Amino acid sequence: MRQHLHAEWTKLRTLPGTGWLLLALVTLTVAVSVAAAAVVSCTPAGCGHDPAKISLFGIQAGQAVVAILAVPAISGEFGTGMIRTTLAALPGRITVLSAKAVILTGLTLTAGSVAVLASALAGRVILLDNGFAPELPALTGGPMLRAAVGSVLYLALIALLSLGIATAVRDSATAIGVVLGLLYLFPAIILMIPNEDAAKLLWQISPMNAGLAIQATTHLSSLPLSPWAGLGVLAAWAAAALLGGGLLLRLRDA
């Protein structure tokens, strides 16, 4: 496994776009979070906004960068035919996929932690200036800490979901389209469903809607899923994608 990890780390870090994508993940996430916090204000009568979800709103934009980072990690090799060389030099297809997953997860967790920390700190300062109560939870507070840590894990799971789909689909453009459709189009379709029970069920299985429940710190009883259960739904999506992709990787010719 050590050789597989070293090989995948070498390939990923030497790709010209990797560093720029990680920088884009941090920059875009923080910029969108700051913009969201800047346009929200509270009156002396009260405030119905969830400060954690506002401060970490940029995660909804940053996840697209994560998908663009993760998909080419394997689909790019299928496109160039390099996957044959990889599998010949490093026998064990599932081990190769596992190594890619470990490296991608590590990079995403690192960049995601920076993005979430910067977003949460900047958001707190801006929200206090915009009329939020002085007792706004600190980053080390229980609910806010859960939202921050959960958001980092959310990005890592998006990376694994993207890798699994790319392994199954093989084509970069198609895989990115499928991932972005699940993340952005699926929630939009739910809004157009008139039946409340059906809409609620789809919300509960939507990878983005359910996964981002981890950011909620207020009105938790009104959520269709609890925060950790919602993140568990996204984890199930990622696991299913990786299992399906791994099975197809074993069964099909490279």
Side-chain angles (χ1 to χ4, degrees), residues 23-220:
L23 179 60
L25 168 59
V26 175
T27 304
L28 183 61
T29 300
V30 175
V32 174
S33 296
V34 167
V39 299
V40 174
S41 60
C42 289
T43 64
C47 183
H49 300 291
D50 188 329
K53 298 189 76 170
I54 295 170
S55 298
L56 300 173
F57 187 79
I59 295 295
Q60 298 188 38
Q63 64 184 353
V65 181
V66 171
I68 296 171
L69 170 69
V71 164
I74 190 165
S75 61
E77 292 192 54
F78 280 115
T80 61
M82 186 67 182
I83 190 68
R84 299 186 186 92
T85 304
T86 296
L87 296 178
L90 299 169
R93 299 188 176 199
I94 299 303
T95 307
V96 168
L97 181 60
S98 299
K100 290 181 182 293
V102 170
I103 298 300
L104 273 173
T105 300
L107 288 175
T108 305
L109 288 175
T110 301
S113 297
V114 175
V116 166
L117 179 61
S119 296
L121 293 177
R124 176 178 174 81
V125 173
I126 296 171
L127 292 178
L128 287 174
D129 289 340
N130 286 356
F132 275 71
E135 60 270 16
L136 192 67
L139 184 58
T140 54
M144 187 63 195
L145 181 61
R146 183 253 299 153
V149 172
S151 294
V152 176
L153 295 176
Y154 175 90
L155 291 175
L157 289 171
I158 293 297
L160 295 177
L161 172 66
S162 303
L163 178 64
I165 290 175
T167 306
V169 175
R170 296 190 173 190
D171 179 70
S172 293
T174 304
I176 291 175
V178 171
V179 174
L180 296 185
L182 281 173
L183 296 180
Y184 298 114
L185 185 59
F186 194 173
I189 293 174
I190 295 174
L191 296 176
M192 296 184 287
I193 296 178
N195 185 283
E196 291 186 5
D197 291 335
K200 180 179 179 181
L201 176 61
L202 290 176
W203 192 102
Q204 291 173 328
I205 63 173
S206 166
M208 187 176 86
N209 287 345
L212 287 178
I214 195 65
Q215 294 181 344
T217 60
T218 61
H219 309 296
L220 298 183

